Amino acid sequence: MFNSASELEFSDENNVEEISQFVSLEVSGGTVSTQRSSIIVPEKTGYPDSVYVLAANIFQGIRVEKSSDKILIKYGNEPLPSLPEFEDESVQRLSYELAFSTLKYQDILETMLIDSYIFPSTTIVNHLSSLIIVMLYDFQDRKFQNRVLSDNEESILEVQEVENLLNSFKTKLAAALARCRIKHDALSIYHILPEIVRKQELRASTLPLYAWINTCKISPEEVFINLKKRGYNEVKSVCHIDDKVFAVDQHCYDVLIFPSHLKKDLINIDLFKDYKLIFQDKSRSLAVHSVKSLINLDDDVLMVNTGSWYTVAHMSVLTNDNNSKIFVCGVNSQEKDPDLNNLFKKMGCKNIEILPETFTDIESKDQRLQKVKVILLLPRCSDLGVSNPIEFILNEHEDTDLLKDLSQGGTSEDKLQVLAQHQYEQLAHAMKFVKAQAVVYCTCSVYPEENEAVVKKALEFQNQGTKIQPYRLSPPVLPLCSLKEIHLAKDKFFRMEQSETTNGCFLSILTRERDPSETVSVKDVLARAAAKGLLDGIELGKSSKREKRRKKSKTSLAKPSANDNNGIQMKIAEFLNRETKTSTNRSEALITKALNPQKNASQVGATTQTRKPSKPTINPLTPTLTKNTCHCKPGERHTNFTRPRPEDKMIALKPIEIILPPVMLPFQSPQGIRSQVPNQHFYYRWVRPKTGVPGYLPTPSASRRGEKPKENLPSSLVRRPRPWL
């Protein structure tokens, strides 16, 4: 298959020293030096043959195609034969990583192949070009050292032939790489990449792992206990921590966060093997939790373009205690996952129904979707807010075109316009469903053209019929955990920017007012409050038979209407006004009688006598005022009224309301007397001790004339300050 002369051009034994010199070249300030790095990097041994074949097929589909006048290496269209073991998740992850790395360095690797005369000096079948360039990336990443093969590994003929070819050209390949680094004044091949791509790789290497708890199979408390038994400690933040720790996410109560370096350890524990913990990007958890906060107990949900079946499963788990059904459309389950039902069964999901139609083919009045109240729309977008595209593609089943965009550091303008138009059409169609009350729109894009612009355009051009209420933009239902999040959500959009802890995310909620004829039960209100975390620790149990009987008996009784209650309140108000007027008239009459014309200035100054009735008497004002005492507000100042004395200033008193306690006992301290007022009943029974109660003071007139105050008269009490004087 290859030119035999080319294969034997160089031998390994004669060029080991020369290759090591090329590999150790470093460029610093435009000069070449042979300094050794102080950082110890684990030695790489290569990949199994199956990984190279699958990576070559992936690269064949995502490679950057050049114009016909610039094509130097021809790639075939036929994929390499695959083996059943290629479906293994670990093989897929390694293959995607290798293909993505090759894609980022495609120009450099092609230059190395041409500069070393592998192309066009050798006779190579076109469909092997992808395999050659993929294996070349791994070859230079291993410092052009031989691959270590395991004894039980099954070899593939095409892989063995390409490996022999690269080994025969390794000196020229190492020299070509060194010249490329010098040309770009780069310390390594990594520094030749665009800055935006390098930042993306740096974020991907430190981005924490997010996993949601499958509460259908295990409770959060049991997960915490299990992790702690394995040496994991709970912390508030996993940033810059190299130990075995985890944290609970602030936005989603069922999402845990782990440091990125723990991935290999976590995937081997039973919690992940048994689908009790599921790795997934946080943006998808934010979307399903937003839907959960918007639905009632028996509302259905329609999910569109979910990508990953884990997103569907998470939505099913959150609604497991409801009567809700999860409808899914926009995916071909037969082609993507033939064992889908088995997967849902393992995860404990029972309320999922997959629709065969695409979303735009479903009628807005479809009878199957009459109970759908919320539509979750996860449209295909550029996804440039994703820092770790490999995990995102594997978990979300996203299109591999994402890798092509990320390797170039952005999306072309033409492709962006096509994506935005498709997103608008899906959102506009979602707003046509008559029974739906809310639409949740979520992307991982950083472009406003795919986010705010799509939502605003759909709101502006929505069909505002007479029978249904229009949609409007609603604020986020997720908690805002920082001032930055509050600032980003000021226009009612929920945003998360790319950072060292999260991928980028955009989330918008469109809601319409509920039909006034639809009533919301207390049960629904409690369920919504529980979804928002307001009933933490309170379980909503089913009502017992006795409670149901009580409800039936209560409903059989006639309930007073709102009009009856208003009538009763009006009658009470009229009675209080009437009594107040009567009290005021009596007070004015008494005061007028006391201030009759027979009293002149000389009589006022001459006489200071007080009446001495044989029976206990009560101030005439007292009975009148006590009629209204029940309407006085607690905490109001209590005042005792005595009959005006001639020597005092005679000023008309204003009637006030006082409150009397239902039970009264004699007090032994001034504080007790000051804080309480005797009830009318004790005017007849309470006799003041002769020795005097502490805190009682004689009246001014009695002290001047040496008279003993009357024991059973209210006027014998201490004279209170009168603020109205």
Side-chain angles (χ1 to χ4, degrees), residues 475-476 480 483-495:
L480 302 177
L483 293 176
K484 184 177 181 180
E485 291 182 5
I486 295 174
H487 176 72
L488 292 174
K490 63 182 180 180
D491 51 358
K492 298 184 179 180
F493 295 118
F494 182 88
R495 299 182 182 88

Side-chain angles (χ1 to χ4, degrees), residues 129 150 177 322 337 344 364 479 504 535 609 645 696 705:
S129 299
S150 60
L177 176 59
N322 299 4
D337 196 346
F344 289 151
S364 59
L535 302 180
Q609 292 183 353
R645 299 181 182 277
Y696 275 74
R705 294 184 175 272

Side-chain angles (χ1 to χ4, degrees), residues 92 147 209 281 307 335-336 390 453 507 518 590-591 699:
Q92 288 185 348
R147 181 168 60 116
L209 305 171
D281 187 70
E335 292 183 2
K336 284 206 169 186
I390 306 302
L507 196 145
E518 297 181 5
L590 290 172
I591 294 172
T699 59

Side-chain angles (χ1 to χ4, degrees), residues 494-513:
F494 182 88
R495 299 182 182 88
M496 290 185 64
E497 296 180 340
Q498 277 184 321
S499 66
E500 62 179 0
T501 58
T502 59
N503 285 325
C505 176
F506 172 85
L507 196 145
S508 175
I509 297 177
L510 308 180
T511 59
R512 60 160 56 107
E513 294 292 340

Side-chain angles (χ1 to χ4, degrees), residues 523-584:
K523 194 175 181 181
D524 292 336
V525 174
L526 292 176
R528 189 174 299 176
K532 295 181 179 180
L534 302 178
L535 302 180
D536 189 17
I538 301 177
E539 296 183 358
L540 302 178
K542 297 181 179 179
S543 58
S544 61
K545 294 182 179 179
R546 183 177 298 177
E547 292 176 351
K548 292 181 179 178
R549 290 196 212 102
R550 289 178 180 176
K551 291 180 181 178
K552 291 182 180 179
S553 61
K554 288 181 180 179
T555 54
S556 61
L557 299 176
K559 296 181 180 180
S561 63
N563 295 333
D564 296 338
N565 293 333
N566 294 335
I568 294 173
Q569 295 296 332
M570 292 177 63
K571 290 180 180 180
I572 293 174
E574 291 178 0
F575 173 77
L576 295 178
N577 292 334
R578 185 169 61 252
E579 291 298 317
T580 303
K581 291 180 180 179
T582 304
S583 174
T584 304

Side-chain angles (χ1 to χ4, degrees), residues 646-706:
E647 71 272 17
D648 297 330
K649 276 188 175 182
M650 305 305 294
I651 299 177
L653 303 179
K654 299 180 180 179
I656 64 170
E657 296 178 353
I658 61 173
I659 184 168
L660 301 178
V663 179
M664 195 68 191
L665 295 174
F667 295 95
Q668 300 299 325
S669 66
Q671 182 179 0
I673 299 174
R674 190 178 300 111
S675 61
Q676 301 288 343
V677 178
N679 196 305
Q680 177 184 356
H681 177 71
F682 293 105
Y683 287 151
Y684 297 93
R685 291 190 179 182
W686 182 24
V687 179
R688 177 184 174 189
K690 293 182 180 181
T691 57
V693 179
Y696 275 74
L697 298 175
T699 59
S701 59
S703 61
R704 283 193 301 268
R705 294 184 175 272

Side-chain angles (χ1 to χ4, degrees), residues 144-160:
F144 299 100
Q145 301 300 313
N146 292 332
R147 181 168 60 116
V148 179
L149 300 176
S150 60
D151 297 334
N152 57 353
E153 182 181 346
E154 183 179 356
S155 61
I156 300 176
L157 179 60
E158 290 82 358
V159 175
Q160 298 299 322

